[in-house]
Amino acid sequence: MVERGAITALNHLLVQQPWAAQRLKPFAGAVAEFRCPPFPDLRVSVAASGLLEAAQERAEVALTVELKPGTLPLLLLRNDAALKEIRIAGSADLAAAVQHLLRHLSWDAEEDLS
């Protein structure tokens, strides 16, 4: 349940800012695991479109992104200090793309409200 909602929210951001999905397209098929206690781990796979989908259970994880407890709200508020609280391990190219998204992807609330 949480997984579906998280993927839907992330895809909404990727659709709002098409450059972001384009940045993920080269990683189609790659699996990333996001760990953000106290929430359950989130495993996603990059689709050919650059959007995200639930990863297969047995799929090999190419990238692990670990947020310290309490980091998620700061990240959502675009607080640069939150970026220092994130540990990324795995594929260097995918890590660079995810780091770029963490720095530059933002929710266009005005668009959603209009």
Side-chain angles (χ1 to χ4, degrees):
M1 183 81 146
V2 172
E3 178 181 88
R4 189 177 331 150
I7 291 172
T8 299
L10 291 170
N11 280 337
H12 180 73
L13 294 177
L14 294 171
V15 168
Q16 271 191 334
Q17 299 183 33
W19 64 265
Q22 288 295 325
R23 192 164 193 102
L24 289 177
K25 274 186 178 183
F27 304 102
V31 174
E33 182 172 87
F34 293 85
R35 299 176 183 159
C36 182
F39 301 105
D41 294 348
L42 175 66
R43 289 173 50 115
V44 298
S45 177
V46 179
S49 63
L51 296 179
L52 304 175
E53 56 192 17
Q56 299 291 328
E57 268 187 51
R58 297 182 183 156
E60 183 178 334
V61 175
L63 187 74
T64 303
V65 180
E66 193 169 336
L67 286 73
K68 291 184 179 178
T71 303
L72 186 59
L74 296 175
L75 190 60
L76 295 173
L77 292 171
R78 313 284 306 143
N79 184 323
D80 288 338
L83 297 174
K84 296 176 186 173
E85 301 297 319
I86 300 172
R87 194 177 88 198
I88 299 177
S91 165
D93 293 337
L94 182 53
V98 169
Q99 285 176 324
H100 184 83
L101 293 178
L102 289 171
R103 282 188 169 84
H104 301 287
L105 188 61
S106 61
W107 174 40
D108 187 352
E110 287 182 17
E111 173 68 25
D112 282 345
L113 293 173
S114 65

